[in-house]
Amino acid sequence: EFVRHAERPLLVVGQWNPSWGDPEPAVRQLARKGWLIAAEPLSQLPHDTAEHLEDTLEMLHTKPDAVVTLGGPWVANKAKAALAGTPHWAIGPREPLPDMFGALRTRTHAEHFAALTALAELAPALGQAFTLNQITAKEVVEWTDLKLHSIIAKAIPDGWDVHWANSTPVRYANFLWGQGRFSRGIRHFSNRGASGIDGMTSTALGAMWATQRPTLLVTGELGFLYDGGAGIAYEALPALKVLVVNNQGGQIFQWLDGPRASGQLERHFVFRHARSVRSSAENQGFTYRSAQDEAEFRREWEAFVNDSAATVLEVVTDPDASEIAWKGRFGA
């Protein structure tokens, strides 16, 4: 009832399994009716159908007066803080349907696609179509994680599945999706709903084996080393392409205030090192390639994606320059 009478309702679309059905038609129908839609690339929605769940939602001048959530877990933590206290209707096929904003009014058990379709059909029109409010970031020139991910976003072939590792890769994907950098033909996946860097190579390998679709995993060097036995499970290794971003440590901890304030950032959080993943990659059966800068990366990329074998491309970036580029992406 509170959603029916809302003047500024928001729908948040979380992780979406493509096997559920295509969410785009219902989302566009709700937008035409005046609903605000927020999402991330894991929603499988094109960027022009929704507000970016983090970069724009927290900057809205007028707060929504009702929020409906569908789909799986999302990445954006700041969005949860921005929506604190907003009356909330959680929809999903099973528990948990968590009280993410401290104002949960209703839980409804329903399949995601059926619920979204019904919501689009039954929601009253609010008299004004919703328009997007994209925030444009500056272009990065220096060779950093952000520059690398920006190049990757435009270079991934149509029709590929991309698995974004936890930690920084999925956050770069979110940001660049909000900037409209990806082709519509790419499907996005990540191990959200679980913390840490466990099992990301295994997940991507298993998904490629099951779907038989060309698949890219973008991961960090610590994540790849952590799951260093993934390829050994296969007698015939699926031809997965693994892009390893080696920034010599856990880059995400340089983004957070707490680890730096502890005085133990490099020793106990980031874990600075000079290791390569080559031995681990070859031990698992991957062909190994490497690049130290943008020119080498651009030369290696075509051979990497067109290789018929399972292949790792390890790309080295500077962690401190990468931190500066990320934190200044919306700067003047």
Side-chain angles (χ1 to χ4, degrees):
E1 189 71 21
F2 72 94
V3 174
R4 185 179 302 149
H5 293 101
E7 296 179 356
R8 300 179 305 280
L10 165 68
L11 171 67
V12 177
V13 183
Q15 281 184 97
W16 193 271
N17 188 326
S19 67
W20 297 343
D22 183 4
E24 184 178 353
V27 162
R28 290 196 181 276
Q29 185 178 354
L30 282 167
R32 287 193 298 270
K33 288 184 172 184
W35 278 60
L36 174 68
I37 317 294
E40 296 171 333
L42 303 180
S43 69
Q44 313 304 340
L45 288 168
H47 81 280
D48 63 352
T49 60
E51 288 280 5
H52 185 281
L53 189 52
E54 187 134 58
D55 288 341
T56 57
L57 188 59
E58 63 175 322
M59 300 179 187
L60 292 176
H61 296 299
T62 305
K63 188 176 179 179
D65 55 0
V67 57
V68 179
T69 56
L70 272 165
W74 13 292
V75 180
N77 288 322
K78 291 182 181 178
K80 297 172 186 175
L83 293 169
T86 307
H88 174 204
W89 179 16
I91 304 174
R94 64 189 66 85
E95 296 295 337
L97 295 174
D99 182 4
M100 291 185 287
F101 318 118
L104 184 65
R105 299 282 186 85
T106 306
R107 285 186 174 93
T108 298
H109 292 99
E111 295 298 328
H112 300 290
F113 182 75
L116 178 59
T117 302
L119 181 65
E121 292 175 353
L122 298 174
L126 301 175
Q128 184 175 357
F130 164 67
T131 56
L132 292 175
N133 179 35
Q134 187 181 58
I135 300 172
T136 303
K138 68 177 184 180
E139 290 292 331
V140 176
V141 176
E142 299 84 1
W143 182 239
T144 60
D145 285 10
L146 183 52
K147 179 67 173 180
L148 172 60
H149 281 84
S150 298
I151 297 171
I152 296 167
K154 294 180 179 179
I156 298 169
D158 280 356
W160 279 49
D161 287 354
V162 184
H163 287 251
W164 301 99
N166 282 340
S167 193
T168 58
V170 72
R171 289 167 172 83
Y172 281 111
N174 283 351
F175 164 67
L176 292 165
W177 177 84
Q179 296 295 304
R181 301 297 180 90
F182 293 103
S183 161
R184 289 176 56 98
I186 297 169
R187 305 196 309 183
H188 300 267
F189 302 90
S190 187
N191 279 356
R192 303 313 300 172
S195 297
I197 56 176
D198 308 46
M200 294 177 300
T201 310
S202 299
T203 298
L205 278 166
M208 186 174 189
W209 177 82
T211 64
Q212 297 295 300
R213 289 171 58 91
T215 302
L216 169 69
L217 166 65
V218 181
T219 186
E221 85 285 358
L222 294 183
F224 185 78
L225 291 170
Y226 197 83
D227 198 15
I232 297 172
Y234 294 86
E235 291 184 9
L237 194 64
L240 178 71
K241 304 298 178 285
V242 183
L243 185 82
V244 176
V245 184
N246 188 338
N247 47 35
Q248 300 105 64
Q251 171 75 189
I252 196 167
F253 294 107
Q254 292 182 235
W255 296 3
L256 306 175
D257 294 333
R260 194 179 297 279
S262 73
Q264 300 295 325
L265 175 66
E266 294 196 6
R267 181 173 176 82
H268 291 299
F269 291 92
V270 171
F271 181 58
R272 287 286 175 90
H273 64 87
R275 292 169 173 82
S276 167
V277 304
R278 180 169 191 155
S279 295
S280 179
E282 292 178 342
N283 183 57
Q284 295 177 69
F286 289 96
T287 299
Y288 176 81
R289 297 176 179 273
S290 65
Q292 300 290 321
D293 54 36
E294 181 177 349
E296 281 192 340
F297 172 73
R298 290 186 182 276
R299 286 197 300 269
E300 290 287 339
W301 174 260
E302 289 302 320
F304 168 64
V305 295
N306 291 311
D307 198 322
S308 60
T311 308
V312 165
L313 173 55
E314 181 176 26
V315 186
V316 177
T317 58
D318 181 86
D320 297 319
S322 295
E323 177 189 2
I324 292 168
W326 173 258
K327 292 181 176 178
R329 65 196 185 279
F330 291 120

